[in-house]
Amino acid sequence: MAYRASLALLSILLALASAPSRAAADAAERKMYDSQWGTPVCDDTAVDKTQPLITVSGTVFADLNGDGRRDDGEPGLPGVCVSNGEQVVKTGPTGAYTLAAVQPGVHRTVFVTVPTGYRIGGRFYQLVPDTCAGMAAEFGLVPDPASLHADHAFAHVTDAHITRKGVTAFAELGAPLAFVVVTGDMSNDRELEAFQDAARRSPVPVMVLPGNHDVLVNGSGALAPALGTGAAYETVLGPKYYAFDYGGRHYVCLSSVEDMPRQLVWLKNDVMQQPANTELLIFQHFPPTAAQMALYRTYRARAVFSGHTHSNRVFRDGDILYVNTPPFIRGGLDFSPRTYRVVT
């Protein structure tokens, strides 16, 4: 896959915008989540830190027939990363793993980093109950030979602001795509099930991460559950941050809306588990801050994709390609038409 100065667009021709590189300063002296685009809220007010630590263990296996159960002859998968959103461990020779310090109420999911060669999307995660004494979590991964190919295309979608069920925009994606990544503001005021209904119509997997309109009241208020159902974001759409591999590349989806120190711990632990010279692409809702870009540079990120500004920008910040895509369903504030970006 080539990340050139010009990226393919499905419906518009993109002209590269030139912009000066950000000043290189000491990232440690900046607040990682301060941003001109919005001030992320601290999620510590929304977690229960009173529960005792538990152990989560299980097996990651090859679900050869895709039935969701481990049948005779379906082998365990060694070397697969499993995480609680902070710790990251790898499965052993039989596919077994143990996460020894999971805190219900804080660590809301346990998830796997789906490796190249297996189908992304679906139930790559399991919810951690609010209270429990321990948990077993089995993960069956379905083989997907197409994901072995480095030559693939994906769509970057952002700021759909879907408010009702029945939207067919994802079903109308026309380019041959491996998957879609949606960088937040899937809904307008936490209508997560409406977005989920739209995403299910996609012919390819849709990978998501939260924007401010997906987790905050009216996009700027307090943290709140999904509108109408009271379900937590994770209950409807899964972890707020995670990673997956496809074609030998490592795709990292982050939450830039909430100030979560444990996310940075997870990111460091996740990157440390990757083979040297693995190509890293990062996705988040808010455009990255200078401190974030400095951090991503230490991880040798190849590109950062964002949304939120409802505008079209592509430029290089040093050796990182920065991409901001216009809204999916409505036109942009910079008069760019509604679109999505195809990256090859």
Side-chain angles (χ1 to χ4, degrees):
M1 181 182 296
Y3 293 91
R4 300 179 295 273
S6 59
L7 298 178
L9 283 173
L10 177 68
S11 58
I12 62 174
L13 180 64
L14 175 66
L16 282 177
S18 61
S21 296
R22 302 172 195 264
D26 184 0
E29 294 180 357
R30 306 172 184 149
K31 291 184 178 179
M32 185 64 64
Y33 288 94
D34 274 358
S35 171
Q36 62 180 312
W37 310 112
T39 302
V41 296
C42 179
D43 82 325
D44 280 351
T45 60
V47 298
D48 177 8
K49 295 184 177 181
T50 65
Q51 299 299 314
L53 299 181
I54 65 168
T55 296
V56 176
S57 59
T59 304
V60 180
F61 64 94
D63 188 3
L64 301 179
N65 59 9
D67 66 354
R69 302 188 306 268
R70 190 174 187 183
D71 302 313
D72 291 342
E74 294 185 330
L77 296 176
V80 177
C81 289
V82 186
S83 180
N84 61 355
E86 198 161 0
Q87 302 167 266
V88 179
V89 300
K90 279 190 174 181
T91 56
T94 65
Y97 73 90
T98 297
L99 289 165
V102 178
Q103 186 169 26
V106 175
H107 303 126
R108 297 190 177 109
T109 63
V110 171
F111 56 88
V112 298
T113 297
V114 177
T116 292
Y118 292 87
R119 185 185 302 165
I120 62 173
R123 298 294 288 192
F124 66 95
Y125 63 93
Q126 293 194 33
L127 298 172
V128 177
D130 291 337
T131 58
C132 63
M135 176 179 169
E138 304 291 309
F139 295 96
L141 302 183
V142 180
D144 179 16
S147 78
L148 295 169
H149 302 303
D151 185 14
H152 62 271
F154 70 88
H156 177 212
V157 166
T158 195
D159 296 271
H161 290 277
I162 291 171
T163 61
R164 58 177 178 81
K165 292 184 177 180
V167 174
T168 60
F170 284 98
E172 297 163 3
L173 294 171
L177 301 169
F179 56 88
V180 177
V181 180
V182 184
T183 52
D185 279 5
M186 302 167 278
S187 62
N188 199 57
D189 187 13
R190 299 164 290 116
E191 300 94 343
L192 302 183
E193 291 189 340
F195 169 81
Q196 188 179 55
D197 175 75
R200 283 173 176 162
R201 302 168 190 265
S202 170
V204 296
V206 177
M207 312 303 288
V208 302
L209 59 91
N212 50 302
H213 284 269
D214 304 317
V215 294
L216 306 182
V217 175
N218 292 320
S220 59
L223 281 168
L227 188 68
T229 66
Y233 175 97
E234 292 89 345
T235 301
V236 183
L237 296 175
K240 293 178 178 178
Y241 55 92
Y242 58 94
F244 63 92
D245 295 337
Y246 198 100
R249 292 169 181 83
H250 193 57
Y251 294 82
V252 177
C253 299
L254 299 175
S255 172
S256 58
V257 178
E258 296 174 62
D259 186 353
M260 293 183 282
R262 62 185 177 278
Q263 178 177 227
L264 296 180
V265 174
W266 168 81
L267 179 60
K268 179 180 179 180
N269 291 336
D270 172 77
V271 173
M272 287 176 60
Q273 296 284 3
Q274 308 312 311
N277 300 318
T278 297
E279 193 168 278
L280 176 68
L281 282 75
I282 293 177
F283 300 81
Q284 60 185 59
H285 181 62
F286 289 157
T289 65
Q292 288 171 339
M293 289 295 278
L295 176 65
Y296 301 158
R297 190 166 286 109
T298 68
Y299 295 144
R300 299 181 179 179
R302 188 74 180 273
V304 178
F305 296 80
S306 68
H308 187 66
T309 63
H310 291 215
S311 62
N312 181 34
R313 297 201 75 188
V314 177
F315 61 86
R316 287 200 175 275
D317 185 345
D319 52 358
I320 297 179
L321 183 67
Y322 169 68
V323 181
N324 197 93
T325 295
F328 186 40
I329 292 179
R330 301 174 180 85
L333 298 178
D334 62 351
F335 303 106
S336 57
R338 62 178 289 261
T339 190
Y340 61 93
R341 195 182 309 274
V342 175
V343 185
T344 59

